[in-house]
Amino acid sequence: MGRPIRRKRLETSLIIIIIVLAAWGLIILFPFYNALLLSLTPREVYVRNPFLLLPKAISLDSYRALLNNSGILIGFKTTSLILLSGVPLNMFLTASMGFCLSRNSFPGKRLVFFLVIATMFFNGGIIPLYITVKNLGLMDSLFSVILVTAANTFYLILTKNYFESIPPSMEESASIDGANDIVIFTRIYLPLAKPILATILLFYAVDRWNEWYHSMLFLQRLDLVPLQVILRNIVNATSQTVVEVDTGRRLFADGIKMAAVVVTMLPVMVIYPSLQRYFMKGIMLGAVKA
Amino acid sequence: MSDFGTRVGLLKPRWAGANLTGRQSGLRQRLFKARYIYLLLLPGLVYYLFFHYLPMYGILMAFKNFNANLGIWGSHWAGLTHFEYIFSDPSFQRAFRNTLFISMGRILFELPFPILLALLINELREGRSRRILQTLFTFPHFLSWVIIGSIMLNLFGDQGIVNMMLSSLGLGKIRIFSSSDLFRPFLFFSNIWKESGWSSIIYLAAIASIDVEQYESAAIDGITRRQKMWYITLPNILPTVVILFILAVGNAMNAGFDQVFNLYNGAVLDMGDIIDTYIYRITFQGPTDFSFSTAVGLFKSLINFALLIAADFASRRLSGKGLFH
């Protein structure tokens, strides 16, 4: 009669778990908090007391300096260009190839599949890629960055697996009516694949936003620099004090650096919470099916 | 007489229904039937051909003395000279050693943490607090190491807040980026910080698929939370752990270029330089010898390839499935 009084013991262990998880949450939060704090602190306050845990005064000096003096706007423009032209290309290649590889056997299917998978096992290295990009005339062109990462084999496999899990009965009536593969692709499979396509769209968008390596290799011109590279340049600058151009006020480098970090993070930070479950669902979808 | 037609239908001649256009029509017919697939396949294939296979031609450079004026084709052969030099280069040996140690360290320290995290998160009930925590934990995964590196360099640098806190408590400063000793542990710690939330999702998915009966029957006999984790949850997700372990071993040659590149500097090369950062430096930050760089890159790729094949084989033996298919 009545449940055994095990509830009390469960409560303690649960409390410990909650404390541990909350502590980890704080550990995750703290570095971001520190960066934000530094970016919002005026130089005078920082110089007097560099050890800041709580805001003493808030100022937008660092952000103002950032927007005026550095290439952050170029960064935003370039990265947006890369994203807006790159992601549609990514989606198209991934969806089309994923669909084709999920179809029933056609001559050459095994070969194509092998060629695609093999790229995950072996690649030529940076230099050969560098030479290839150069020979294709893509150096200093945005196309180099857009095309080099035009498809991610892992996402491709996720998509293919998802397509494979769509029951063939879906297309039967269409193929009886004489629809060809392209029509089947666009009218039937694409709409059915919305969950996985939404997920890899987000993955590609984040990847494009975070891209910096290939741009550093292939883009030398000063008017096409992605946001992450601009950030790298700002952070690696070594001078401690910076003079604000129009007012002559002195600013401190760390504040500007952290302002640059915050500004680069902001879009992801804003969008992520609401889209988080699509990311997670996508991974679970892919993991379960793979 | 009325069912004579159907009877005849059953006696269709063997060639009825087969195409009658000729003997080679088997292959041609299938090619024709799949023509739209080839059309759809074309753009993707072009990408792989141009940006993954065409560069492989450049691998030849590793066996030649590359001269930009003569191009790859015209440069003189060097055989295995570059490879011989690789083995005698102490910087390379150091990078190779570091790569192995860092990869092993990652498996040892970074692999268990997401499992632990998943076990703990799993104990929370579905709800807003669980979702908020998960959003928080998985967030750093989506930021680049340029961003995270900047934050970490600032936070843990010699003039950073952490060191100031330590000084104010009377403890000595920790030199993470200015001396070699703590750099590697910091790599592990910061990667755990960044990735374990995201990695825990895989384990959470695996945990979610354990059938509830196992827990229910154990609950009848009375079982603590800890026993549940140790005797039921963990054994059930063991296959997932093994697969990820194998994947990590197969990936041992890539010790995390993004992270190291954005966190390292000259002072920590001793313990922190990995093969990829070594290649980057000798290619772009020094007297350029493309041939040598290509040779090092090829060497690394070959070992990487062997490891992945071994990992794929191991995975197939254990679970019947390869790594990627």
Side-chain angles (χ1 to χ4, degrees):
Chain A
M1 199 188 95
R3 317 178 67 176
I5 311 188
R6 205 165 288 111
R7 202 173 280 161
K8 227 193 211 162
R9 220 175 351 171
L10 282 176
E11 286 294 0
T12 347
S13 59
L14 191 59
I15 290 181
I16 296 182
I17 291 180
I18 293 181
I19 292 183
V20 168
L21 289 178
W24 185 247
L26 284 178
I27 294 181
I28 301 275
L29 270 179
F30 183 64
F32 296 115
Y33 171 72
N34 179 60
L36 188 64
L37 190 58
L38 270 181
S39 72
L40 289 174
T41 303
R43 178 182 170 274
E44 299 79 33
V45 176
Y46 178 72
V47 158
R48 252 179 287 133
N49 181 16
F51 181 10
L52 279 171
L53 279 181
L54 292 170
K56 278 206 170 56
I58 304 244
S59 115
L60 292 177
D61 287 348
S62 295
Y63 288 94
R64 246 193 309 257
L66 186 68
L67 289 172
N68 287 338
N69 297 347
S70 74
I72 205 105
L73 295 170
I74 296 181
F76 269 101
K77 189 188 86 167
T78 310
T79 297
S80 305
L81 274 176
I82 294 179
L83 211 141
L84 290 173
S85 35
V87 173
L89 177 66
N90 286 348
M91 294 302 295
F92 171 63
L93 290 183
T94 310
S96 58
M97 266 208 133
F99 171 72
C100 293
L101 288 176
S102 73
R103 302 306 280 156
N104 290 326
S105 188
F106 54 86
K109 178 181 174 188
R110 301 266 291 276
L111 176 65
V112 170
F113 194 62
F114 172 77
L115 285 181
V116 165
I117 295 279
T119 62
M120 288 181 101
F121 283 76
F122 182 80
N123 65 60
I126 334 172
I127 309 288
L129 182 65
Y130 187 82
I131 301 272
T132 304
V133 168
K134 192 142 161 273
N135 288 341
L136 287 174
L138 294 175
M139 287 298 275
D140 250 356
S141 153
L142 214 53
F143 279 109
S144 63
V145 173
I146 295 175
L147 292 177
V148 162
T149 48
N152 178 312
T153 311
F154 181 62
Y155 302 158
L156 179 61
I157 295 182
L158 283 183
T159 310
K160 158 186 159 302
N161 287 342
Y162 192 87
F163 279 131
E164 276 170 356
S165 75
I166 294 180
S169 53
M170 292 279 144
E171 67 169 283
E172 261 161 22
S173 48
S175 55
I176 288 180
D177 288 342
N180 64 41
D181 286 305
I182 295 193
V183 167
I184 294 181
F185 174 53
T186 47
R187 296 269 173 81
I188 301 181
Y189 275 78
L190 273 189
L192 284 175
K194 280 211 193 102
I196 196 76
L197 291 180
T199 308
I200 62 168
L201 175 92
L202 292 176
F203 282 146
Y204 274 129
V206 170
D207 288 346
R208 288 288 186 192
W209 186 260
N210 286 335
E211 242 171 23
W212 58 274
Y213 182 62
H214 291 124
S215 319
M216 239 172 56
L217 294 184
F218 304 133
L219 292 176
Q220 302 295 333
R221 39 195 293 195
L222 294 175
D223 58 334
L224 277 186
V225 189
L227 193 54
Q228 305 282 338
V229 180
I230 299 270
L231 177 60
R232 238 186 83 81
N233 293 341
I234 294 179
V235 167
N236 286 340
T238 45
S239 60
Q240 262 309 312
T241 8
V242 177
V243 181
E244 192 173 27
V245 172
D246 33 342
T247 64
R249 290 172 62 213
R250 295 160 70 198
L251 308 147
F252 73 111
D254 274 1
I256 302 185
K257 290 179 189 179
M258 289 303 113
V261 167
V262 171
V263 151
T264 310
M265 266 190 350
L266 211 56
V268 183
M269 211 160 57
V270 161
I271 297 188
Y272 182 62
S274 34
L275 297 180
Q276 181 237 13
R277 44 200 153 105
Y278 295 109
F279 285 103
M280 288 189 18
K281 227 200 299 177
I283 278 288
M284 298 226 206
L285 270 175
V288 166
K289 290 192 195 292
Chain B
M1 228 25 182
S2 56
D3 62 356
F4 183 66
T6 23
R7 289 254 210 89
V8 167
L10 291 173
L11 300 172
K12 270 193 297 194
R14 254 211 319 253
W15 44 263
N19 71 79
L20 303 168
T21 52
R23 256 172 317 165
Q24 318 140 304
S25 58
L27 179 61
R28 250 200 237 150
Q29 176 82 334
R30 283 186 297 145
L31 285 174
F32 179 73
K33 195 160 156 239
R35 64 196 185 281
Y36 289 108
I37 293 190
Y38 294 130
L39 195 59
L40 266 184
L41 215 44
L42 202 59
L45 272 182
V46 165
Y47 161 72
Y48 277 99
L49 249 51
F50 271 86
F51 291 98
H52 287 270
Y53 286 97
L54 192 56
M56 291 194 190
Y57 174 69
I59 291 178
L60 275 182
M61 280 197 285
F63 302 99
K64 294 189 165 203
N65 285 319
F66 181 68
N67 183 327
N69 297 326
L70 302 172
I72 299 184
W73 205 228
S75 301
H76 303 294
W77 285 101
L80 295 176
T81 342
H82 298 297
F83 292 94
E84 286 163 10
Y85 185 62
I86 292 179
F87 293 118
S88 63
D89 182 9
S91 296
F92 173 77
Q93 290 169 358
R94 181 182 65 185
F96 190 76
R97 224 176 22 233
N98 286 339
T99 303
L100 286 183
F101 281 136
I102 292 181
S103 290
M104 285 197 295
R106 288 209 197 274
I107 295 180
L108 204 57
F109 299 116
E110 294 179 24
L111 202 64
F113 203 81
I115 303 177
L116 179 63
L117 207 56
L119 287 176
L120 294 181
I121 295 179
N122 185 56
E123 295 297 319
L124 297 178
R125 242 174 325 154
E126 295 282 344
R128 217 173 44 171
S129 32
R130 174 166 166 167
R131 265 204 310 269
I132 292 182
L133 274 179
Q134 282 204 281
T135 307
L136 195 55
F137 293 163
T138 53
F139 177 60
H141 163 83
F142 292 95
L143 300 175
S144 69
W145 269 111
V146 178
I147 294 178
I148 307 279
S150 314
I151 297 182
M152 292 290 174
L153 284 172
N154 180 281
L155 199 59
F156 289 97
D158 290 349
Q159 319 292 336
I161 275 246
V162 167
N163 271 324
M164 292 211 209
M165 263 197 268
L166 290 174
S167 308
S168 70
L169 290 176
L171 305 162
K173 288 194 172 189
I174 48 172
R175 303 191 169 279
I176 297 186
F177 303 111
S178 44
S179 86
S180 287
D181 301 319
L182 290 175
F183 186 66
R184 243 190 242 164
F186 186 73
L187 284 181
F188 303 141
F189 167 69
S190 52
N191 207 32
I192 289 178
W193 180 91
K194 183 177 190 286
E195 295 292 338
S196 51
W198 181 250
S199 306
S200 69
I201 293 184
I202 307 256
Y203 296 111
L204 277 171
I207 294 179
S209 64
I210 302 177
D211 62 324
V212 204
E213 286 174 14
Q214 295 190 36
Y215 293 107
E216 283 171 0
S217 45
I220 295 179
D221 299 328
I223 183 172
T224 69
R225 204 183 285 270
R226 224 179 16 153
Q227 287 172 324
K228 255 194 290 183
M229 286 187 203
W230 186 254
Y231 291 110
I232 303 182
T233 317
L234 271 182
N236 271 294
I237 61 174
L238 199 56
T240 312
V241 178
V242 170
I243 289 283
L244 290 175
F245 173 79
I246 293 178
L247 250 176
V249 171
N251 205 32
M253 286 283 106
N254 305 312
F257 173 75
D258 258 22
Q259 178 190 21
V260 177
F261 186 77
N262 281 294
L263 285 177
Y264 89 154
N265 59 66
V268 298
L269 284 182
D270 249 6
M271 304 283 266
D273 196 27
I274 59 177
I275 298 183
D276 284 324
T277 45
Y278 169 76
I279 294 180
Y280 182 86
R281 264 200 336 277
I282 63 175
T283 311
F284 298 110
Q285 286 173 359
T288 41
D289 182 354
F290 277 5
S291 277
F292 183 64
S293 297
T294 312
V296 181
L298 179 61
F299 181 68
K300 180 209 165 207
S301 289
L302 287 173
I303 300 190
N304 194 34
F305 178 70
L307 278 174
L308 283 174
I309 294 286
D312 190 65
F313 178 71
S315 154
R316 242 179 308 185
R317 272 304 217 70
L318 280 169
S319 71
K321 278 198 303 184
L323 282 182
F324 309 114
H325 34 271

